[in-house]
Amino acid sequence: MAAISSDTSRKPRISYHEFYTDGFTPREHYRPLWEHIQSVGQNAFEAKVHESQLALHAEGVTFTVYGDSDEGIERIWPFDLIPRIIPASEWNIIESGLKQRVRALNLFLKDIYHDQRILKDGVVPAELIYQGKDFRREIMGVDPPHDIYTHISGIDIIRDEDGKYLVLEDNLRTPSGVSYMIENRVIERRILPEFFAKYRVRRVEHYPALLLEALRAVSPRGTGQAEIVVLTPGIYNSAYFEHTFLAKEMGVELAEGRDLVAKDDVVYLKTTTGLQRVDVIYRRVDDDFLDPLVFRSDSTLGVAGIINAWRAGNIAIVNAPGNGIADDKAVYPYVPDIIRYYLAEAPILQNVPTYQMTDPEERAYVLDNLERMVVKAVSESGGYGMLMGPASTPALRKEFAAKVLENPRNYIAQPVVQLSRHICYMDGELEARHLDLRPFIIYGDDIDVVPGGLTRVALTKGSLVVNSSQGGGSKDTWVLAE
Amino acid sequence: MLSRIADSIYWMSRYLERAGDTARLMEINLLYLLEAEEDMSEGDKWRPLLSITSAETAFSGLYGEGQLTQGRVLQFMTAEKSNGNSIRTCLRLARENARIARDRISREMWEAINELWLNVDQQLKTPLHPLRASQFFSLVRSEVARFHGLTSTTMMRGEAFGFYRLGTFLEQADMTARILDVKYHLLLPDLNLVGSALDYYQWAALLKSLSGYEAFRRKYHAGFRPMDVVEFTIFEQEFPRSLAYTVKRMHRALADTGITGKQRSPIALERLEAMLAGNSAEQIFSTGLHEFLEEFLAAIAALNQAAQADFLDTHMEEP
């Protein structure tokens, strides 16, 4: 938790520049790239940008923005050609920090849905868990295959003004973006192969193979009999492109809820030649919609009886139901304590200082300083339900203050961190934009962190909002081999 | 394979084929009108097209009775969102079904259909100028042909390919029967015109609508005798758009889908086969071509329903 006295948010600080040490000198690891960009010339570079746009367009690399058009608003994935480069020494810290964090969060979930030692020991307040919208008492005592809950995590990382990597947010339910990470790499290599010749960039395209391996590893009938499906809400979901991408890359079926049926605690696919048993479901449908018999009864996206089949040990659900309580933003401030509690280790990656709105003193401080705060609804994602203080209006701040007072458990606040910046190619100019990083972590037989991740860019000058649903873009992300 | 995906592949190919067929019809009609008789009204020139695609009611619902102009028909048949058979709607639905089945079709197929949709959607944002229309239709036709070509070189032979072919041939059979029915009605009543220049252009247009003009000329040298045209478009085993050819291919496609143990579609297909086997152009003329075609179209509709019921309905038993 943030100590109010050490708060430095009153002094505006300058964000860390990923590319330059000052306004002119590229950092050591960017120098070969910089020289190359200089030598290409603007016209040629412009042509490359155009080419990359055409490729994304033709391939239909899209995401869907929610709207009320019956044709759906599909947008082409926004992509900036200038890669972000992370040196091996920095990546080692990120990688070990993420492994540590995921291992601890997984133990936390197992504990929360079994003995709840951490609550009894008073490390995390019990009411915080019980009041969490995503705590699923229906699954208390269930043992998922191999005790894995967080098979796939996407953990958002930013760099503060000093260039220190901090965890901004844990995504342990259905994190998306991995297909864009791979598409970015594919396009970058096709359009600018000469960039790669200057570096030893670690590969990311084997992600679907790692995922398939992890999914096979949790099959209740053993890896020899692993019928796997990707469960999607359908073509109007914002990440539908990713669902088809993963199904296709892994060579497994992409199913909707209506393609599945549960009978006697076994789940089957409805095929043209009859029912076919399913062992592992990589679901991209939220808990709420997963099983109308257990959660929301009005859901048409899920499968009636799927939770009973899971309880009976006949299928693996990936990620496990109930994970939302571990990436609840109100639990986030406790993650460092959670790491210390289960692993007896010091956290390698720090959190962004966070104020708890349930604490009267911290709440009063935040409400007095709203224009310098980011306020987030604890169970929303994708940039929804959020107040960006510096960019807000007095009316909006008043509205948020009322919401916070009405339901303090539902909000947290953080001082505005000036996310680090990177050059982007914007209409013929190289301009600095803020960015973050979402690496992906797969927990199967072992924990793997894919070297790279999705770098999201705020395309609007000065903006700190990077979500694609809010108009953000992306960059290929290079992790260098040692 | 998943029942729902089978259905999507089937509809993807039907809608795509329909877009291509509509483009060909429109293109031929435009060309044919350049040379049509002076005294023919605009309505008379374009009504058959609406009739072929069963769009007369929808058209008059949108524009009112007696509002048949070339500009409106062009707009209605290419861009109109409320017209379920407009080229834009067909391509949107074809692309949407392809998107649903994206993990089942080849990357080449997906990119071809996606690019075609994006291109057409872009072009139709402004009304299609009559002078630009031919070019537009020819683009749609050639892109549909390219899709079929890519499919035949990149798609695995198996169930999914069976559903793709079933959709394609069923749509082709349906379109051939419709074109024949409407043109026959339009053409035949005035027997005085047989052998006239007008007659020549009209029969030529019909055969061109089916891409069968040259093949017909090579085979028949006695001009355009209605009997020969019917023989060619219904019974010719070597003409890829004849009813006999498409029905034979549907039989193979249905076998490839592997929907065994299901009775409805094989029975419905047998009905179609029986209508052709042991029949002849003479016999059809004696009982009435229109009656035959109407019955044939009904049998196609029945096959469509049976097939869809077969792939969507899953036995609730484990195999």
Side-chain angles (χ1 to χ4, degrees):
Chain A
M1 249 133 301
I4 291 172
S5 55
S6 70
D7 172 36
T8 51
S9 66
R10 283 172 185 278
K11 290 175 271 170
R13 298 180 62 198
I14 293 175
S15 61
Y16 180 84
H17 205 302
E18 300 274 346
F19 197 89
Y20 295 115
T21 51
D22 50 38
F24 320 95
T25 322
R27 293 181 190 279
E28 188 63 38
H29 57 281
Y30 277 110
R31 208 157 291 154
L33 176 71
W34 180 235
E35 283 158 14
H36 191 76
I37 294 173
Q38 303 290 22
S39 72
V40 169
Q42 187 172 338
N43 285 347
F45 203 76
E46 196 67 54
K48 303 264 187 197
V49 169
H50 186 62
E51 210 183 315
S52 69
Q53 288 301 313
L54 287 181
L56 287 162
H57 214 58
E59 282 176 41
V61 181
T62 59
F63 66 102
T64 309
V65 179
Y66 298 113
D68 38 30
S69 154
D70 59 349
E71 290 180 16
I73 308 168
E74 252 183 282
R75 295 223 179 116
I76 296 297
W77 180 249
F79 170 65
D80 183 71
L81 274 181
I82 299 173
R84 173 204 203 149
I85 303 176
I86 301 174
S89 56
E90 288 179 12
W91 180 254
N92 291 341
I93 297 169
I94 295 175
E95 184 180 21
S96 51
L98 291 173
K99 285 185 175 175
Q100 177 193 52
R101 199 163 170 109
V102 168
R103 185 171 292 123
L105 287 168
N106 196 66
L107 289 168
F108 172 68
L109 280 162
K110 187 187 172 194
D111 188 26
I112 286 297
Y113 289 115
H114 290 85
D115 306 336
Q116 303 190 329
R117 283 192 299 125
I118 198 165
L119 306 185
K120 288 170 192 156
D121 290 345
V123 177
V124 172
E127 68 275 11
L128 191 73
I129 301 304
Y130 295 138
Q131 289 164 4
K133 187 168 85 58
D134 294 298
F135 172 64
R136 304 278 176 226
R137 59 194 81 241
E138 300 89 340
I139 62 162
M140 285 295 296
V142 179
D143 295 314
H146 303 264
D147 286 341
I148 304 174
Y149 290 80
T150 56
H151 309 80
I152 298 110
S153 325
I155 295 189
D156 294 344
I157 292 181
I158 59 169
R159 298 183 87 169
D160 68 7
E161 292 83 350
D162 303 321
K164 195 167 81 172
Y165 288 102
L166 300 175
V167 172
L168 181 67
E169 189 170 302
D170 302 292
N171 295 285
L172 308 175
R173 285 172 276 184
T174 56
S176 60
V178 76
S179 59
Y180 302 115
M181 166 184 84
I182 295 171
E183 285 292 339
N184 285 356
R185 175 63 52 85
V186 169
I187 298 244
E188 185 89 350
R189 208 182 25 227
R190 192 197 308 167
I191 310 284
L192 289 161
E194 59 274 28
F195 273 17
F196 286 87
K198 318 242 175 216
Y199 289 93
R200 283 178 58 216
V201 182
R202 294 182 63 188
R203 297 177 179 182
V204 295
E205 287 129 294
H206 60 295
Y207 175 91
L210 286 177
L211 177 61
L212 182 61
E213 212 177 287
L215 295 175
R216 291 172 61 85
V218 294
S219 170
R221 289 196 290 174
T223 54
Q225 274 182 309
E227 279 299 329
I228 297 163
V229 301
V230 175
L231 178 63
T232 175
I235 65 166
Y236 297 112
N237 185 270
S238 62
Y240 181 72
F241 166 77
E242 174 149 310
H243 307 160
T244 59
F245 177 92
L246 291 174
K248 194 165 179 145
E249 288 284 325
M250 293 193 289
V252 305
E253 290 288 359
L254 178 65
E256 292 184 15
R258 58 194 156 121
D259 299 323
L260 293 165
V261 60
K263 234 179 46 158
D264 303 328
D265 291 344
V266 175
V267 180
Y268 299 92
L269 268 179
K270 296 184 203 168
T271 79
T272 53
T273 48
L275 296 182
Q276 189 184 316
R277 182 168 177 164
V278 173
D279 303 292
V280 182
I281 298 179
Y282 177 30
R283 53 82 176 237
R284 299 294 297 256
V285 171
D286 292 341
D287 282 359
D288 271 346
F289 298 97
L290 198 53
D291 187 339
L293 299 182
V294 181
F295 306 120
R296 278 178 62 154
S297 60
D298 61 340
S299 168
T300 54
L301 300 177
V303 186
I306 195 176
I307 293 293
N308 272 338
W310 185 59
R311 275 194 194 118
N314 290 333
I315 48 160
I317 300 181
V318 173
N319 286 348
N323 279 11
I325 192 60
D327 69 13
D328 187 315
K329 292 185 181 71
V331 172
Y332 161 88
Y334 293 93
V335 174
D337 297 332
I338 288 171
I339 292 170
R340 281 186 280 264
Y341 182 80
Y342 293 108
L343 306 178
E345 293 170 8
I348 299 167
L349 292 171
Q350 307 303 316
N351 275 4
V352 173
T354 304
Y355 303 103
Q356 295 276 43
M357 293 302 90
T358 42
D359 179 307
E361 201 186 330
E362 292 189 12
R363 182 172 67 230
Y365 175 78
V366 167
L367 294 180
D368 284 346
N369 293 279
L370 267 183
E371 70 280 10
R372 278 189 289 273
M373 296 285 166
V374 185
V375 184
K376 297 172 175 175
V378 295
S379 49
E380 299 280 355
S381 59
Y384 294 97
M386 186 169 141
L387 175 81
M388 283 297 290
S392 66
T393 59
L396 203 58
R397 290 197 288 275
K398 208 175 149 192
E399 189 189 314
F400 258 79
K403 284 188 196 173
V404 167
L405 286 169
E406 193 187 324
N407 184 3
R409 166 65 179 80
N410 201 37
Y411 293 90
I412 56 158
Q414 295 167 336
V416 174
V417 178
Q418 292 292 328
L419 309 183
S420 58
R421 287 168 297 161
H422 196 291
I423 53 169
C424 294
Y425 189 79
M426 312 289 300
D427 293 327
E429 302 285 336
L430 293 176
E431 293 185 7
R433 292 291 184 273
H434 295 291
L435 43 72
D436 78 350
L437 174 67
R438 174 178 291 182
F440 296 92
I441 305 102
I442 294 184
Y443 196 153
D445 276 337
D446 208 347
I447 302 183
D448 284 300
V449 185
V450 183
L454 182 66
T455 287
R456 299 183 299 178
V457 183
L459 289 179
T460 311
K461 196 167 193 163
S463 167
L464 295 168
V465 181
V466 296
N467 305 80
S468 50
S469 53
Q470 315 290 325
S474 70
K475 277 179 177 297
D476 190 14
T477 310
W478 296 0
V479 169
L480 301 182
E482 302 208 47
Chain B
M1 66 186 298
L2 277 182
S3 300
R4 184 176 51 82
I5 299 298
D7 197 56
S8 285
I9 290 179
Y10 172 79
W11 280 106
M12 170 193 77
S13 46
R14 282 203 69 174
Y15 282 122
L16 195 72
E17 188 60 32
R18 193 173 295 173
D21 288 346
T22 306
R24 187 183 302 99
L25 273 175
M26 293 292 290
E27 191 181 3
I28 301 299
N29 213 48
L30 271 177
L31 285 174
Y32 156 71
L33 291 179
L34 290 176
E35 291 162 330
E37 300 296 290
E38 296 281 326
D39 58 354
M40 218 172 153
S41 75
E42 247 183 293
D44 288 343
K45 290 173 184 167
W46 287 101
R47 190 165 298 107
L49 247 152
L50 295 179
S51 170
I52 287 172
T53 54
S54 304
E56 285 160 306
T57 323
F59 185 88
S60 54
L62 192 66
Y63 298 104
E65 293 289 343
Q67 299 298 312
L68 212 57
T69 62
Q70 172 171 306
R72 289 204 187 96
V73 176
L74 261 184
Q75 174 67 17
F76 183 77
M77 295 300 288
T78 57
E80 179 53 44
K81 290 184 188 181
S82 71
N83 176 11
N85 290 320
S86 73
I87 289 176
R88 184 184 184 278
T89 307
C90 286
L91 290 177
R92 178 173 74 77
L93 293 173
R95 190 251 187 193
E96 195 155 303
N97 278 292
R99 203 172 152 226
I100 290 169
R102 187 166 174 172
D103 63 313
R104 272 287 183 166
I105 63 177
S106 70
R107 185 185 182 93
E108 288 85 350
M109 290 165 72
W110 161 253
E111 292 195 9
I113 207 166
N114 183 49
E115 282 182 74
L116 174 56
W117 157 249
L118 293 170
N119 187 347
V120 163
D121 185 43
Q122 189 57 38
Q123 289 204 35
L124 293 178
K125 286 208 194 313
T126 51
L128 196 58
H129 192 278
L131 293 179
R132 201 165 56 87
S134 273
Q135 215 181 345
F136 173 80
F137 295 132
S138 130
L139 167 98
V140 173
R141 270 196 311 113
S142 63
E143 286 300 304
V144 170
R146 187 166 84 96
F147 180 85
H148 287 317
L150 286 170
T151 303
S152 72
T153 51
T154 62
M155 193 177 188
M156 287 290 287
R157 293 332 192 234
E159 296 170 274
F161 191 69
F163 290 111
Y164 156 75
R165 302 252 287 183
L166 185 63
T168 304
F169 289 122
L170 195 130
E171 186 65 31
Q172 282 183 1
D174 185 88
M175 196 56 103
T176 297
R178 282 165 188 272
I179 291 174
L180 204 51
D181 192 27
V182 172
K183 288 286 183 179
Y184 179 78
H185 264 259
L186 184 75
L187 297 178
L188 211 63
D190 196 351
L191 287 170
N192 293 329
L193 290 176
V194 172
S196 73
L198 177 63
D199 195 41
Y200 172 86
Y201 285 112
Q202 289 178 329
W203 284 113
L206 185 152
L207 286 162
K208 282 178 185 165
S209 304
L210 296 169
S211 303
Y213 174 76
E214 290 154 35
F216 181 87
R217 294 297 276 174
R218 212 167 295 124
K219 182 147 183 144
Y220 298 93
H221 302 287
F224 294 103
R225 295 193 315 158
M227 189 74 84
D228 292 342
V229 176
V230 165
E231 177 68 37
F232 183 74
T233 52
I234 296 182
F235 294 106
E236 176 55 59
Q237 291 286 350
E238 287 171 13
F239 174 46
R241 285 179 176 268
S242 76
L243 299 185
Y245 184 92
T246 44
V247 167
K248 193 162 109 192
R249 293 301 154 128
M250 276 189 249
H251 193 105
R252 271 249 297 272
L254 195 60
D256 289 344
T257 62
I259 43 175
T260 48
K262 310 266 177 106
Q263 292 305 312
R264 285 164 288 199
S265 32
I267 290 173
L269 184 62
E270 273 169 32
R271 165 101 194 88
L272 274 179
E273 289 171 327
M275 286 183 69
L276 295 171
N279 209 337
S280 68
E282 285 87 359
Q283 239 169 300
I284 287 176
F285 266 102
S286 70
T287 49
L289 179 61
H290 174 66
E291 287 70 19
F292 172 82
L293 292 170
E294 233 178 13
E295 201 189 329
F296 191 86
L297 283 168
I300 286 182
L303 172 59
N304 171 58
Q305 278 193 352
Q308 274 194 281
D310 277 351
F311 22 105
L312 286 175
D313 176 40
T314 300
H315 303 294
M316 288 296 155
E317 302 300 323
E318 297 168 52

